Amino acid sequence: MARQGMTRPLTWWRDRWRMMFLIRTAEETVAQLVSSGEARCPCHLCIGQEAVAAGVCAALGRDDSLWGGHRSHGHYLAKGGSLEALFAEILGRTSGCSGGRGGSMHLIDREHGILGAVPVVAATVPLAAGAALAYKMRAEPRIAVAFFGDGAIEEGQVHETMNLAALYRLPLVFVCENNLYASHLHWSERRAADNLDQVGAFHSVPGFRVDGNDIEAVFQAAEAAVERARSGAGPTFLECRTFRWRGHVGSSFDLDVGLKRRGELAEWLLQDPVSRCEEKLARMGMLNLAEEKEIIREAVAAALTAARAGPEPEEARMLDHVWVDREEPARCVH
Amino acid sequence: MARQGMTRPLTWWRDRWRMMFLIRTAEETVAQLVSSGEARCPCHLCIGQEAVAAGVCAALGRDDSLWGGHRSHGHYLAKGGSLEALFAEILGRTSGCSGGRGGSMHLIDREHGILGAVPVVAATVPLAAGAALAYKMRAEPRIAVAFFGDGAIEEGQVHETMNLAALYRLPLVFVCENNLYASHLHWSERRAADNLDQVGAFHSVPGFRVDGNDIEAVFQAAEAAVERARSGAGPTFLECRTFRWRGHVGSSFDLDVGLKRRGELAEWLLQDPVSRCEEKLARMGMLNLAEEKEIIREAVAAALTAARAGPEPEEARMLDHVWVDREEPARCVH
Amino acid sequence: MRTLTYVAAIREAHAQLLERDARVFVIGQGLSSPWYAGGSLDHLDRDFGCGRLLDSPVSENAVTGMAIGAALAGMRPIVFHPRMDFLLLAMDPIVNQAANWSYLFAGGAGVPVVIRAVINRGGEQGAQHSQALHALFMHIPGLKVVMPSTPADAKGLLIAALEDPNPVLYIDDRWLYGHTGPVSESMTATPIGKAAVRRAGHDVTLIGISSMAAEALEAAQDLAEEGIDAEVIDLRSLKPWDRETVLQSVRKTGAAVIADPGWRTAGAAAEIAATISEEAFHSLRAPTVRITLPDAPAPASRVEERAYYPGSGAIACGARRAVEISGRQTRHTQGAQYLQGATA
Amino acid sequence: MRTLTYVAAIREAHAQLLERDARVFVIGQGLSSPWYAGGSLDHLDRDFGCGRLLDSPVSENAVTGMAIGAALAGMRPIVFHPRMDFLLLAMDPIVNQAANWSYLFAGGAGVPVVIRAVINRGGEQGAQHSQALHALFMHIPGLKVVMPSTPADAKGLLIAALEDPNPVLYIDDRWLYGHTGPVSESMTATPIGKAAVRRAGHDVTLIGISSMAAEALEAAQDLAEEGIDAEVIDLRSLKPWDRETVLQSVRKTGAAVIADPGWRTAGAAAEIAATISEEAFHSLRAPTVRITLPDAPAPASRVEERAYYPGSGAIACGARRAVEISGRQTRHTQGAQYLQGATA
Ligand SMILES: Cc1ncc(C[n+]2csc(CCOP(=O)(O)OP(=O)(O)O)c2C)c(N)n1
Ligand SMILES: Cc1ncc(C[n+]2csc(CCOP(=O)(O)OP(=O)(O)O)c2C)c(N)n1
Ligand SMILES: [Mg+2]
Ligand SMILES: [Mg+2]
């Protein structure tokens, strides 16, 4: 499905790099907040996996919807979510994207098509299919994307959803970030074979394996899958192989967790998606990113400052929103 | 996996035929009980599918365990369950195999390794895997067999179980009776492709498609799968293609239910597993089965008479057995 | 007003909702089958097309999750489960997702989904095909739960459920499908959270849930013949439930019988009884009586089934006990005293 | 007796059970991880091997089903869920299968499985990672449910759960892991279905479930200083629960406060309150007070978390209210009257 040989303009590479560097910088900032104890909610960082979020979301329109899981800071930012609202959410402020109700693991921004990320593994996969069904029923040109990890494949509902998505030819893209681990367990402790790209075959969902640290490869695969979905041809499954640099949760590196993580990490650090993109930019003539980096770092710092200024919830409002009281006025595209 | 060309003795064919004819006769009897209103519980008949139960169970030992679903009369009889206890159960007598507590959809006979059949679709598939795990842990040479329909494949837990079975190399055989329908829905209304034998591929569970109305083919495939399981090589999936002559539930033929059932049934009637076995017996010289048939019919009639004499439960004992009060003395092999 | 059966009222509500609002669709197992929906969806596929009646594979978890996702993307789905027992395979989407969604995101997104589940018991179907599990859902914040007992409410509560911006579990009971009653031809919602006083009375309050509301009404008739004047409340909504109507009645009568088609321990009746004893403590003249299923799975044999499901007789019995302990002067006791006086 | 933490007691129970009985094994998600089991299974994989500690894929439904199947085939499995929230993916095997199995087959086959689930809340984890869902399971016939609050019972109830021939849901709470107390070195089972009177008293009965039993004991100490003499009952088992011990106490004190770490509506406290009002009606001098979570999902922010989880203060408050209404002459009221008299 890859359209080899296509040359993309420098701006394309720069924009992708900017997003990856933004995610990286934001995540490093979250890591510090966790280490310092300022962030108290469980944070699952995607450092090392930025190309998947940035590459896939580059192939999406604003009206397309995104669904995520516990490790979704990158998805949220790449789809257009606000940096300040993310930090504020992590810090438990009402200015957070979920009003401080969710913390790191519950992200939403309906105006940017981020319909929800929640931490029950695989939970949003059927939800994404439902959104895709809605688009199809309304004959809208939108598609839905479900992001999930390799661990999610072990949940039966993912298989149920694949069958339904193929049966109804839903405009849906399954994006599996295979970082080889689910928490502390290496894939080989959870499955007999390393073949996640085959998961949809039985259900007639075509699957592709992609180097998840190669921003262009991810984008190409996503673009084709999005096109297929939008054209009415049905769902596609993408296995994006990658690795998380930090531990499963929090800011530690989990060097001694898992079968052979220490050695693997050393190898994967060499595959840094951000550096690879920087090398490409350098080859294309954009050698000095210092200024660009500074701008992004400042934006991140400013967002954090603003987030810190957000108010904490009032105890007295703790029981608000158990139910939606009325239909909210349509305040967003969804 | 088939060992073609092997000639089996006449007695082998006769024994298989006897079992199939017994199941057929028992099921026709149940159909009458349903039509007359004497049987009140929902009965799902396996007429037309007898070769799957008879063929698979011929490859099992008494110590191997069998797990079933809503359509399990045939599995129960083929594994050695008592005819009288089956009828008594269907008629709601305490002499039934489940003490009259379950009716047609809940069958058990632990002494013959029938560890349970219950009607929640796919529910016993993980249970069978658990039994297989027990055998493996105890290093016993037993295996477990899970019988289920094509509809069960749509339940996520079946996929979860396949992964677990392969990962732990369980002594387990998955037997899917693909009768092309789940209730009123043809497979094409539920899946994008007719490829159930592929369901295990992703999970490293080898799968085979078998003519489920060919008793020898079923047996051969089952024998190989059982051998594989018993040898410690892990689970196998068998898709046995067949067709139910009667409707989904009860004694009707459901001729107008489903996409194209009427025409399909006409074709499948020509593939009657019992007749095909009779033809084989005839070719081998056993031309007259009238006496054999009479013996079986009489056994069935006698069992029904005995079952009818069984007592109905006493109202006063309705609350017995909500819990098992104490460890039952080990009264069976399991 | 014209009369309809309960099942026809459900079907009509579906048809009118599908007709009125293009965002409405139905998805679930058995929609087009001759058995599963018991006539409640007959020919809707013919009338509205398979594109709006998706008779799905047997995948309760994902199908329910899809309905939730579609709701979040602007549709108004009704997801159908032909037996309540099968909801146990869809607890994550219902409880972890739909119920939490509004709260989790501080009201940023409601889930306007109707989850329809049928209590489909009796007929020797046994423990896995008979359950009335409403109490599990009554416990969950963020859900609404309705259980109509009359044809009018079968229609009115489905309309209300669909119009509600929250996830609503709509539970109907096959045993009620043949009941008849007046049903408005127009689309009138029965308000969620409002009980109905089906009969006014002074001596004891009978609070019925779903089919047990109908049984309670029957019991009240029998009791009336004995001179006991029972007030009958059909709860209709289980979450939120109408505390005011119940408490007002019990404060008047001083005694309550709760009739619930579910199990006893930690069931719906327990909540109502606990609330009565908290909020009407000083009015209560007798212990509240719970008429429920015993704490046992459903048996299959007809003999055991008969003993298992309580009806109007058990409710009347409970009411007599409550009235007697409450020491209330009913026409019944007054009559007895009069007779005593006469023979003294 | 030596002192252990709650978490060490759980670990020791596992180790001794694995040691004693070759049929015992543990399966579930996170067994060997540094996070999921919070130290309660540390190094058991090293000591007993991966063959008896199966750290499984994320497949709650099938893994729980496998444990049930293994139990039916003669093993004594403990299936581990690091958060109770994830049980919602395993409701079919637990409720439809394990709970019904004995009844369905008229006692022909019990399911000796222990389902261990952890209440793992707080820490800004939010609604899907904080739930205490014990009430759902208390409603289900055929299950047993235990919730230890002390290190001794954490060990004793795990042993009892494993020895029981029925499916037992064992629920521990991460907030208790650091609590210390005496724990027998031998394998002494805490009987299932027996509550423990942790403190004798005359003025009011405090009934605590799980962590709330510890809070109730604290509340009783505060109340004692005010002259209110509370009896504290640690329920320990939720199904079956010890009606006798609770009723006997309430008949004596005339007032009850139930402290439950779950939601209010149709929760465990509702059952206990309903039963008290049925069975101790004439002894009850004040409405029973339920101290529970509000009917809302768990919030994430620490501010809201603080408000969300009630503790000993709320229990003491409820007890004061109950005592006051009950009009009981406590040392507290006697003292007040004395002072009144003195100043009159
Ligand atoms: C249903 C459910 N079971 C278990 C967990 C605990 N859990 C949290 S993250 C995780 C691992 C997920 O692995 P993967 O899907 O590969 O995502 P990754 O963390 O690698 O990004 C698990 C098991 C959960 N959140 N939900
Ligand atoms: C979890 C669950 N969902 C739905 C049903 C209703 N149901 C009973 S049988 C059946 C169809 C099963 O089809 P299949 O597995 O192909 O078996 P067959 O009836 O063809 O033998 C369904 C959907 C059920 N029993 N359990
Ligand atoms: Mg992973
Ligand atoms: Mg079938």
Side-chain angles (χ1 to χ4, degrees):
Chain A
M1 76 198 292
R3 272 159 288 177
Q4 238 82 38
M6 179 193 265
T7 21
R8 301 177 190 285
L10 179 70
T11 51
W12 187 92
W13 288 96
R14 192 205 52 202
D15 290 350
R16 301 294 83 74
W17 173 83
R18 278 182 182 162
M19 179 53 72
M20 289 195 287
F21 191 76
L22 175 76
I23 297 173
R24 172 75 50 95
T25 310
E27 289 290 69
E28 293 288 1
T29 304
V30 176
Q32 281 163 20
L33 295 174
V34 170
S35 296
S36 73
E38 188 178 346
R40 296 162 306 268
C41 63
C43 293
H44 301 78
L45 305 176
C46 70
I47 296 169
Q49 306 186 187
E50 296 88 347
V52 184
V56 170
C57 291
L60 299 178
R62 180 178 163 138
D63 281 0
D64 297 326
S65 68
L66 177 151
W67 303 78
H70 57 289
R71 195 181 306 284
S72 278
H73 299 172
H75 310 143
Y76 171 90
L77 291 173
K79 189 69 172 60
S82 137
L83 203 46
E84 180 193 332
L86 174 65
F87 287 145
E89 190 55 41
I90 290 170
L91 295 176
R93 309 302 159 108
T94 56
S95 48
C97 59
S98 312
R101 270 287 165 67
S104 155
M105 303 195 293
H106 306 88
L107 304 176
I108 194 167
D109 180 349
R110 290 174 64 88
E111 288 175 51
H112 289 92
I114 301 158
L115 290 206
V118 297
V120 169
V121 165
T124 59
V125 178
L127 272 56
L133 179 64
Y135 306 150
K136 181 173 170 140
M137 284 182 158
R138 296 197 300 254
E140 290 171 355
R142 293 179 190 178
I143 71 141
V145 177
F147 281 93
F148 50 92
D150 46 308
I153 304 279
E154 294 149 25
E155 292 285 6
Q157 65 202 79
V158 171
H159 300 264
E160 295 180 3
T161 304
M162 289 194 172
N163 179 44
L164 290 160
L167 181 66
Y168 299 139
R169 285 184 170 251
L170 298 183
L172 179 62
V173 181
F174 297 96
V175 180
C176 176
E177 288 181 75
N178 185 358
N179 59 12
L180 313 185
Y181 281 84
S183 319
H184 56 301
L185 291 187
H186 190 251
W187 72 261
S188 60
E189 296 170 288
R190 300 177 284 120
R191 296 190 48 75
D194 179 9
N195 62 349
L196 291 195
D197 56 328
Q198 297 302 309
V199 62
F202 171 61
H203 301 294
S204 310
V205 178
F208 300 91
R209 175 173 286 186
V210 182
D211 176 350
N213 285 14
D214 176 343
I215 182 78
E216 189 181 26
V218 171
F219 174 77
Q220 274 177 352
E223 201 183 29
V226 167
E227 234 172 74
R228 181 167 193 268
R230 223 185 288 285
S231 73
T236 302
F237 178 88
L238 303 181
E239 179 201 3
C240 302
R241 291 177 77 92
T242 183
F243 202 76
R244 60 168 159 70
W245 290 7
R246 298 287 179 136
H248 169 64
V249 60
S251 56
S252 125
F253 286 87
D254 281 7
L255 284 180
D256 298 312
V257 175
L259 263 188
K260 39 188 174 181
R261 176 167 164 81
R262 193 183 281 270
E264 282 172 326
L265 178 57
E267 281 177 39
W268 279 92
L269 286 174
L270 304 176
Q271 297 297 325
D272 176 10
V274 179
S275 309
R276 282 168 71 180
C277 191
E278 286 173 8
E279 283 157 24
K280 176 75 185 182
L281 283 169
R283 282 197 301 278
M284 293 180 88
M286 192 166 173
L287 282 159
N288 193 342
L289 292 167
E291 202 178 313
E292 289 270 353
K293 287 184 179 178
E294 205 38 45
I295 292 169
I296 291 172
R297 285 198 190 102
E298 272 168 23
V300 169
L304 179 60
T305 305
R308 280 174 168 148
E312 291 203 270
E314 292 165 49
E315 249 188 60
R317 311 212 52 177
M318 182 187 69
L319 298 184
D320 286 3
H321 305 303
V322 172
W323 282 307
V324 177
D325 289 330
R326 52 191 166 69
E327 298 238 14
E328 311 271 326
R331 59 174 179 109
C332 64
V333 294
H334 290 277
Chain B
M1 75 199 291
R3 273 158 288 179
Q4 237 81 38
M6 179 193 265
T7 20
R8 303 180 189 283
L10 180 69
T11 51
W12 188 91
W13 288 95
R14 191 205 50 205
D15 289 350
R16 299 295 83 75
W17 173 84
R18 277 182 181 162
M19 180 52 74
M20 288 196 286
F21 191 76
L22 175 75
I23 296 173
R24 171 74 50 93
T25 310
E27 288 290 68
E28 293 288 1
T29 304
V30 175
Q32 282 162 21
L33 295 173
V34 170
S35 297
S36 73
E38 189 177 346
R40 296 162 306 268
C41 62
C43 293
H44 301 77
L45 306 176
C46 70
I47 296 169
Q49 307 186 187
E50 296 88 348
V52 183
V56 170
C57 290
L60 300 177
R62 179 177 165 138
D63 281 2
D64 297 326
S65 68
L66 176 151
W67 303 77
H70 58 289
R71 195 180 305 287
S72 278
H73 300 170
H75 310 144
Y76 171 91
L77 291 172
K79 189 68 170 62
S82 140
L83 202 46
E84 180 193 331
L86 173 64
F87 287 145
E89 190 55 40
I90 289 171
L91 295 175
R93 309 303 160 106
T94 56
S95 47
C97 59
S98 311
R101 270 287 166 67
S104 155
M105 303 194 294
H106 306 88
L107 305 175
I108 194 167
D109 179 348
R110 291 174 64 90
E111 287 175 51
H112 289 91
I114 302 158
L115 290 207
V118 297
V120 170
V121 164
T124 59
V125 177
L127 273 56
L133 178 65
Y135 306 150
K136 180 172 170 144
M137 284 182 158
R138 296 196 300 255
E140 290 170 355
R142 292 181 192 177
I143 70 139
V145 177
F147 280 94
F148 51 90
D150 45 309
I153 304 279
E154 293 148 24
E155 293 285 5
Q157 65 201 80
V158 170
H159 301 264
E160 294 179 3
T161 304
M162 288 194 172
N163 179 44
L164 290 159
L167 181 67
Y168 300 138
R169 286 187 169 247
L170 298 183
L172 178 62
V173 181
F174 297 95
V175 180
C176 176
E177 289 181 74
N178 184 358
N179 59 12
L180 314 186
Y181 281 85
S183 318
H184 56 301
L185 291 187
H186 189 251
W187 71 261
S188 60
E189 296 170 288
R190 299 177 284 119
R191 295 191 49 74
D194 178 11
N195 63 348
L196 291 194
D197 56 328
Q198 297 302 310
V199 62
F202 171 62
H203 301 294
S204 310
V205 177
F208 301 90
R209 175 174 285 187
V210 182
D211 176 350
N213 284 15
D214 176 343
I215 182 78
E216 190 180 26
V218 171
F219 175 77
Q220 274 177 352
E223 200 182 30
V226 167
E227 232 173 76
R228 181 167 193 268
R230 223 185 289 285
S231 73
T236 302
F237 177 87
L238 303 181
E239 179 202 4
C240 302
R241 291 177 77 92
T242 183
F243 203 76
R244 61 168 157 69
W245 291 7
R246 299 286 180 137
H248 170 64
V249 60
S251 56
S252 125
F253 284 87
D254 281 7
L255 284 181
D256 299 312
V257 175
L259 263 189
K260 40 189 174 184
R261 177 168 163 79
R262 194 182 280 270
E264 282 173 327
L265 178 57
E267 281 176 37
W268 279 92
L269 285 173
L270 304 176
Q271 297 296 328
D272 177 11
V274 179
S275 308
R276 282 167 72 178
C277 191
E278 285 173 9
E279 282 158 23
K280 176 76 184 182
L281 283 170
R283 283 197 299 277
M284 293 179 89
M286 191 166 174
L287 283 159
N288 193 342
L289 292 167
E291 202 176 314
E292 288 272 353
K293 287 183 177 177
E294 205 37 46
I295 293 169
I296 290 172
R297 287 200 189 101
E298 272 168 22
V300 169
L304 178 59
T305 305
R308 281 175 167 147
E312 292 203 89
E314 293 165 50
E315 250 188 61
R317 310 211 55 177
M318 183 187 69
L319 299 184
D320 287 3
H321 306 302
V322 172
W323 283 308
V324 177
D325 290 331
R326 50 191 167 69
E327 298 238 15
E328 312 272 324
R331 61 173 177 112
C332 62
V333 294
H334 291 276
Chain C
M1 213 182 281
R2 110 217 116 116
T3 283
L4 281 187
T5 57
Y6 184 95
V7 63
I10 298 177
R11 190 197 174 281
E12 182 170 283
H14 278 92
Q16 292 182 344
L17 289 164
L18 284 158
E19 184 69 42
R20 180 178 71 177
D21 187 344
R23 298 173 306 171
V24 174
F25 70 96
V26 189
I27 187 170
Q29 191 257 311
L31 303 191
S32 65
S33 97
W35 320 281
Y36 285 114
S40 66
L41 301 172
D42 274 1
H43 305 305
L44 289 176
D45 51 350
R46 183 198 62 197
D47 298 349
F48 294 93
C50 290
R52 296 184 69 197
L53 274 103
L54 288 86
D55 193 348
S56 76
V58 203
S59 306
E60 285 81 2
N61 186 327
V63 165
T64 307
M66 276 181 64
I68 292 165
L72 283 167
M75 302 300 281
R76 289 289 178 279
I78 302 173
V79 55
F80 174 71
H81 295 275
R83 294 175 183 284
M84 203 165 189
D85 315 72
F86 306 154
L87 285 188
L88 293 166
L89 287 152
M91 294 299 273
D92 179 66
I94 298 173
V95 177
N96 272 335
Q97 312 311 326
N100 282 331
W101 211 265
S102 166
Y103 191 83
L104 261 183
F105 297 116
V111 185
V113 70
V114 178
I115 300 154
R116 179 176 164 217
V118 185
I119 299 175
N120 189 346
R121 59 200 161 132
E124 304 202 342
Q125 299 180 100
Q128 298 185 346
H129 275 48
S130 301
Q131 292 167 95
L133 298 169
H134 46 282
L136 303 189
F137 301 93
M138 186 183 187
H139 187 52
I140 305 300
L143 284 183
K144 297 191 175 180
V145 183
V146 299
M147 298 181 80
S149 89
T150 64
D153 287 338
K155 180 171 176 183
L157 282 170
L158 191 68
I159 293 167
L162 199 113
E163 290 174 351
D164 200 285
N166 294 287
V168 181
L169 179 61
Y170 173 100
I171 303 171
D172 50 301
D173 185 327
R174 288 281 280 260
W175 281 5
L176 293 167
Y177 277 22
H179 285 214
T180 53
V183 178
S184 161
E185 294 186 39
S186 71
M187 296 184 71
T188 316
T190 300
I192 295 179
K194 279 298 298 167
V197 179
R198 298 283 182 211
R199 185 186 192 282
H202 282 89
D203 298 335
V204 58
T205 303
L206 310 185
I207 301 143
I209 295 171
S210 183
S211 61
M212 292 301 266
E215 298 286 337
L217 208 50
E218 235 177 75
Q221 274 142 22
D222 295 345
L223 291 166
E225 285 169 24
E226 301 166 23
I228 296 175
D229 183 26
E231 181 142 313
V232 178
I233 296 176
D234 177 354
L235 207 58
R236 304 198 294 193
S237 289
L238 218 59
K239 194 175 190 89
W241 65 279
D242 188 347
R243 293 158 55 99
E244 289 63 39
T245 299
V246 168
L247 292 172
Q248 204 177 324
S249 174
V250 177
R251 288 195 188 107
K252 176 177 71 177
T253 61
V257 177
I258 305 160
D260 175 1
W263 291 306
R264 184 182 180 84
T265 296
E271 173 60 34
I272 299 164
T275 302
I276 289 173
S277 100
E278 280 159 15
E279 303 290 332
F281 186 76
H282 297 289
S283 319
L284 211 53
R285 298 149 61 108
T288 297
V289 176
R290 288 186 269 170
I291 305 295
T292 65
L293 298 184
D295 282 319
S301 103
R302 62 176 164 186
V303 180
E304 292 185 317
E305 273 187 349
R306 254 190 317 257
Y308 183 75
Y309 295 107
S312 61
I315 299 171
C317 212
R320 279 182 214 109
R321 192 159 19 115
V323 168
E324 195 176 314
I325 297 174
S326 79
R328 180 174 281 278
Q329 296 288 315
T330 61
R331 279 194 294 116
H332 171 72
T333 52
Q334 281 165 0
Q337 279 161 7
Y338 177 80
L339 282 177
Q340 258 183 356
T343 56
Chain D
M1 213 182 283
R2 109 217 118 117
T3 282
L4 281 187
T5 57
Y6 185 95
V7 63
I10 298 177
R11 191 197 174 281
E12 181 170 284
H14 277 92
Q16 291 182 345
L17 289 164
L18 284 159
E19 183 70 43
R20 179 178 71 177
D21 186 344
R23 297 173 307 171
V24 175
F25 70 96
V26 190
I27 186 169
Q29 191 257 313
L31 303 190
S32 65
S33 96
W35 321 281
Y36 286 114
S40 66
L41 302 172
D42 274 1
H43 305 305
L44 289 176
D45 53 350
R46 181 197 63 199
D47 298 350
F48 294 94
C50 290
R52 295 183 70 198
L53 273 103
L54 288 85
D55 194 346
S56 76
V58 203
S59 307
E60 285 81 4
N61 186 326
V63 165
T64 308
M66 277 181 65
I68 293 165
L72 284 167
M75 302 300 281
R76 288 292 178 276
I78 301 173
V79 55
F80 175 70
H81 296 274
R83 292 177 186 281
M84 206 167 185
D85 315 73
F86 306 153
L87 285 188
L88 292 167
L89 286 152
M91 294 299 272
D92 179 66
I94 298 172
V95 177
N96 273 334
Q97 312 311 325
N100 282 330
W101 211 266
S102 167
Y103 190 83
L104 261 184
F105 298 116
V111 185
V113 70
V114 178
I115 300 155
R116 179 178 164 215
V118 185
I119 298 175
N120 190 346
R121 60 199 160 134
E124 303 202 343
Q125 299 181 98
Q128 298 186 346
H129 276 47
S130 300
Q131 293 165 96
L133 298 169
H134 46 282
L136 303 190
F137 301 94
M138 185 184 188
H139 186 53
I140 305 298
L143 286 182
K144 297 190 175 182
V145 182
V146 300
M147 299 181 80
S149 88
T150 65
D153 287 338
K155 179 171 178 183
L157 282 170
L158 191 69
I159 293 168
L162 198 113
E163 289 174 351
D164 200 285
N166 294 288
V168 182
L169 178 62
Y170 174 99
I171 303 170
D172 50 300
D173 185 326
R174 288 280 281 261
W175 282 5
L176 293 167
Y177 277 22
H179 285 212
T180 53
V183 177
S184 160
E185 296 186 37
S186 71
M187 295 183 73
T188 316
T190 299
I192 295 179
K194 280 298 299 166
V197 179
R198 299 283 182 213
R199 183 185 193 283
H202 282 89
D203 298 334
V204 59
T205 303
L206 311 183
I207 301 144
I209 295 171
S210 182
S211 61
M212 291 301 265
E215 298 287 336
L217 208 51
E218 236 176 73
Q221 275 143 21
D222 295 345
L223 291 167
E225 285 169 25
E226 302 166 20
I228 297 175
D229 184 26
E231 181 142 312
V232 178
I233 297 177
D234 177 354
L235 207 59
R236 304 200 292 195
S237 290
L238 218 58
K239 194 174 190 87
W241 64 280
D242 189 347
R243 294 158 55 99
E244 290 64 39
T245 299
V246 168
L247 292 172
Q248 204 177 323
S249 174
V250 176
R251 287 195 190 108
K252 176 177 72 179
T253 61
V257 177
I258 306 159
D260 175 1
W263 291 307
R264 183 181 179 85
T265 296
E271 173 60 34
I272 298 163
T275 301
I276 289 174
S277 99
E278 279 158 15
E279 303 288 332
F281 186 77
H282 297 289
S283 319
L284 211 53
R285 298 149 61 107
T288 297
V289 175
R290 289 186 268 170
I291 305 295
T292 65
L293 297 184
D295 281 319
S301 101
R302 62 178 164 183
V303 180
E304 292 185 316
E305 272 186 348
R306 252 189 320 256
Y308 183 76
Y309 295 107
S312 61
I315 300 171
C317 213
R320 278 182 215 109
R321 190 158 22 113
V323 168
E324 195 177 313
I325 297 174
S326 80
R328 181 173 281 277
Q329 296 288 317
T330 61
R331 280 195 295 114
H332 171 73
T333 52
Q334 282 165 358
Q337 279 160 6
Y338 178 82
L339 282 178
Q340 257 181 355
T343 56

